Amino acid sequence: ASDVYKRQIIYMGTPEFAVKPLQAIVDAGHKVLACFTQPDKPKGRGKTLQPTPVKKKALSLDIPVYQPVKLREEENVQIIRDYQPDAIVVAAYGQILPESILNIPQYGCINIHASLLPKYRGAAPIEWTIINGETESGVTTMYMAKGLDTGDMIEKTVVPIADTDTGVTLHDKLADAGAELILSTLSKLENHTAIRTPQDDSLSCYASMLKKEMGELDFTKDAASLERLIRGLQPWPVAYTKMNQKTVRIYEASVCEQPEEALEDGTQIVPGMIVRVTKKNFTVACGNGALMIRKLQPEGKKPMDCAAFLAGNKLKTGQMIYE
């Protein structure tokens, strides 16, 4: 990096997704004046306070960290004013920026959003693209405006979604893409070549927050959409079903045909019925097609492949999975 710092930046972000872009900005020679991140959260049985991933990274880079409960309070706005940043870069921060802050930096507040806007505005774009069966996702940099993810777009990068991608693997690909894209965007802001493209609101869809109960597998639905749900709801809340009154989380499954209407003994096949059991896996009938379960996590145990589960659990064809 040259002796002259390129830009004075305040960075706002909280989860793992926001760590790589922060590192990239520092590595590129920009001066990060301060990091704003959400307050530490109590975790685990001892309820010890856990720093956010961005706080950990910022402290390791000797960047001052602020963790206001409410960013919009005047004292926090004043702290940002006093720093006189050229730009504020935001990645999954978790609080809405008030207008009083949006107007401070000369280059504006730039958001790194994990979708191809205007599709998938909102809290969980990574997971919903998988759940909905999209073939590609990506990252958009945009000027922040009032409203949720509605500002003018600057640049986009497309990331294909593999049919094995989970919420975890796609997250990592998009974090890498976001780190590259923000550097490109900052240099365009610097040499005044950044182009503003308004979002077409008619193309937008909202990626609502994930809820725990979304993970319950409803086997009357088609196998393909359940398989996408299983991949999309990782690392949280994870898809699950009940077996022997206990919750079993499902981590990996594949879609297979379910051509027969009945088992060999004449039992009519209905959704939720176990229709095949081998040493390595078992298959459950769905509303359309069937799901072969490959990796799961019984209550109170670690995730395991299906063979290990079946070694200790006898399953029979014809029984309902919930039994």
Side-chain angles (χ1 to χ4, degrees):
S2 60
D3 295 339
V4 185
Y5 277 113
K6 297 184 176 175
R7 284 287 161 252
Q8 312 261 344
I9 288 167
I10 283 180
Y11 191 81
M12 297 184 176
T14 297
E16 205 56 56
F17 176 77
V19 171
K20 278 187 173 152
L22 169 59
Q23 182 72 58
I25 288 168
V26 172
D27 290 347
H30 297 284
K31 171 77 174 158
V32 179
L33 306 164
C35 273
F36 281 72
T37 188
Q38 292 280 57
D40 295 352
K41 279 213 171 92
K43 213 171 184 180
R45 294 203 177 127
K47 295 287 178 211
T48 40
L49 285 177
Q50 286 284 330
T52 70
V54 163
K55 178 183 183 177
K56 277 192 203 154
K57 175 56 78 178
L59 293 175
S60 78
L61 296 167
D62 289 330
I63 299 168
V65 173
Y66 297 87
Q67 297 177 279
V69 176
K70 287 200 177 115
L71 182 68
R72 59 178 55 251
E73 284 175 353
E74 184 49 43
E75 60 183 307
N76 300 317
V77 178
Q78 193 53 50
I79 289 168
I80 293 169
R81 266 196 212 106
D82 291 344
Y83 272 116
Q84 301 180 326
D86 295 321
I88 294 176
V89 175
V90 182
Y93 173 44
Q95 293 195 44
I96 302 269
L97 274 62
E99 241 175 318
S100 53
I101 290 175
L102 292 177
N103 297 330
I104 293 172
Q106 58 163 332
Y107 290 101
C109 296
I110 309 302
N111 186 21
I112 307 169
H113 183 74
S115 83
L116 295 171
L117 289 171
K119 284 183 100 169
Y120 299 100
R121 294 172 180 172
I126 299 173
E127 295 86 348
W128 280 108
T129 50
I130 294 176
I131 293 167
N132 290 345
E134 301 281 356
T135 55
E136 57 182 34
S137 179
V139 178
T140 308
T141 51
M142 59 184 273
Y143 290 102
M144 295 179 78
K146 280 172 71 177
L148 187 65
D149 303 329
T150 53
D152 291 348
M153 302 177 292
I154 307 168
E155 289 188 278
K156 285 185 198 187
T157 184
V158 174
V159 174
I161 299 177
D163 52 17
T164 51
D165 267 327
T166 65
V168 177
T169 58
L170 183 58
H171 166 280
D172 294 350
K173 290 179 187 177
L174 293 174
D176 288 340
E180 275 183 44
L181 193 66
I182 189 61
L183 296 185
S184 160
T185 297
L186 287 171
S187 66
K188 286 185 176 176
L189 290 171
E190 207 170 333
N191 52 36
H192 306 290
T193 55
I195 294 168
R196 300 182 84 114
T197 310
Q199 292 189 46
D200 179 348
D201 290 345
S202 70
L203 300 175
S204 92
C205 63
Y206 180 62
S208 59
M209 283 180 90
L210 302 175
K211 296 191 172 72
K212 209 162 185 175
E213 54 271 19
M214 281 175 55
E216 184 161 12
L217 293 173
D218 173 358
F219 289 99
T220 62
K221 295 192 168 151
D222 68 292
S225 63
L226 293 180
E227 190 273 336
R228 293 197 305 265
L229 191 71
I230 289 166
R231 286 188 291 117
L233 293 183
Q234 295 179 43
W236 189 91
V238 185
Y240 66 92
T241 186
K242 288 264 194 261
M243 295 180 82
N244 294 327
Q245 274 86 55
K246 289 202 163 116
T247 299
V248 177
R249 291 168 145 198
I250 309 291
Y251 279 92
E252 205 182 302
S254 47
V255 179
C256 40
E257 296 285 312
Q258 183 50 54
E260 310 90 22
E261 303 216 328
L263 296 171
E264 282 174 10
D265 66 3
T267 310
Q268 205 57 33
I269 291 175
V270 292
M273 183 179 281
I274 295 171
V275 290
R276 204 174 296 118
V277 182
T278 70
K279 282 191 170 145
K280 286 190 175 162
N281 49 53
F282 64 94
T283 302
V284 184
C286 301
N288 185 4
L291 266 191
M292 184 188 288
I293 309 297
R294 294 175 174 278
K295 189 177 176 189
L296 42 70
Q297 180 182 17
E299 207 170 291
K301 299 223 168 81
K302 287 195 163 83
M304 57 180 74
D305 61 31
C306 206
F309 173 77
L310 289 168
N313 292 273
K314 287 274 171 277
L315 295 181
K316 294 198 299 289
T317 54
Q319 78 180 70
M320 298 300 287
I321 191 164
Y322 319 108
E323 279 171 14

